[in-house]
Amino acid sequence: MDSLIDAPFELFDRAQQALFEALVLPLVQALGLASVAGEAFSGTGWLLAGLLQLSFIAVVLGALERWRPVERWTDRRPVRVDFVYTLIQRLGLFRLGLFFTLDPLVDALAVQGRLWGWQPWHLDALWPGVSDQPWIAFALYLVVFDFAGYWLHRAQHAWNWWWALHALHHSQRQMGRWTDNRNHFLDDFLGAALFALLGLLLGTEPAQFMAITLVTQTFESLQHANARLHFGPLERLWVSPRFHRLHHAIGLGHEAAGPGTLGGHNFGVLLPWWDQLFGTARFDDAFPPTGIRDQLPEAGGRDYGGGLWAQQLLGLQRLWSALMKRSA
């Protein structure tokens, strides 16, 4: 049984090693960066996982969208922009940016903490002999990170300055399998920083952190699919495309007390447990239109940008406006 469980991981490790030796290592050496070969090997793992995810999104989720689409689109330009965001995220370009910015800060925090005598608390040491078994440990970390993700997501919808950035994600009127990564880069950076800090505090091993990230990203792509799909009674145990589409619905997912307010419903990342526990769950039997109310012509027709760089610039402008209003 153990060999069956370990086989996919061993296959991934061999593929990572082969890709590193054939492509990444020669490139690193040609650029005179042999000193970061270890980090480049880790990056190769993210690259390989990203290629597998892209294949899954294109083939499996593409088939789901063709089988039972919620909507049929005539203008594919917004979808192509989402595809570019997905390439940036899943092929490691954003990860490369974190390597030069966030990773050194996290490493410095870890070193300073050890100098002060601080040691991370390892969640898998909670119940020796049980919680340290690989699959149980993974499940524990997944639940803890998902709980944190729920509250981070609520904060993105509760604070005006953060919503100014996160609104870009909700501005897609043609939500589909590529939409998960349609985010402002600063929004992504803040989320990555908070989860990196949580991983540091919990003593999460790099392999565990990577596995949690990949499982989360894969299911998030499914949740955004333009597919008329739900999980029936299991929808109360695992977030489905219908459950998450309600989160993106105009006037439902991003509002709590009427037009122009913040808040919303269905913030769960993988587990809808937290929404049910804290009163934010909606299980409507519907697949409503997605977007933000102020995009509608009758509500002002706000422009969120048609291209990637326009969207990033407008996000910064919304952030600046929100901060100015707060200071005033």
Side-chain angles (χ1 to χ4, degrees), residues 12-27:
F12 183 89
D13 290 342
R14 289 200 295 270
Q16 179 181 355
Q17 185 68 40
L19 181 60
F20 176 71
E21 292 176 354
L23 177 64
V24 178
L25 182 59
L27 178 61

Side-chain angles (χ1 to χ4, degrees), residues 103-118 120 197 200:
D103 290 357
L105 294 176
V106 174
D107 292 341
L109 282 174
V111 170
Q112 189 60 53
R114 286 194 292 270
L115 290 175
W116 290 339
W118 169 79
L197 180 60
L200 178 64

Side-chain angles (χ1 to χ4, degrees), residues 129-161:
V130 177
S131 60
D132 51 4
Q133 296 182 38
W135 287 103
I136 295 179
F138 175 77
L140 286 173
Y141 279 107
L142 186 69
V143 170
V144 169
F145 275 93
D146 196 77
F147 178 71
Y150 169 81
W151 286 106
L152 183 147
H153 200 177
R154 284 195 67 170
Q156 289 172 316
H157 284 252
W159 300 341
N160 281 294
W161 67 268

Side-chain angles (χ1 to χ4, degrees), residues 223-243:
Q223 293 163 14
H224 291 85
N226 176 34
R228 194 171 293 273
L229 181 66
H230 63 88
F231 299 156
L234 296 179
E235 199 164 57
R236 295 182 179 272
L237 299 177
W238 199 262
V239 171
S240 73
R242 180 174 67 178
F243 183 87

Side-chain angles (χ1 to χ4, degrees), residues 28-43:
V28 167
Q29 292 174 335
L31 295 174
L33 299 173
S35 60
V36 297
E39 291 82 356
F41 180 75
S42 299

Side-chain angles (χ1 to χ4, degrees), residues 25-84:
L25 182 59
L27 178 61
V28 167
Q29 292 174 335
L31 295 174
L33 299 173
S35 60
V36 297
E39 291 82 356
F41 180 75
S42 299
T44 306
W46 288 101
L47 173 61
L48 177 59
L51 291 171
L52 293 174
Q53 286 180 315
L54 288 171
S55 301
F56 173 80
I57 296 170
V59 177
V60 178
L61 298 189
L64 274 177
E65 291 191 338
R66 289 188 294 273
W67 174 48
R68 298 193 68 190
V70 177
E71 304 169 315
R72 295 193 181 277
W73 308 317
T74 56
D75 183 6
R76 308 293 298 186
R77 286 175 297 178
V79 180
R80 287 195 289 269
V81 174
D82 287 359
F83 177 70
V84 174

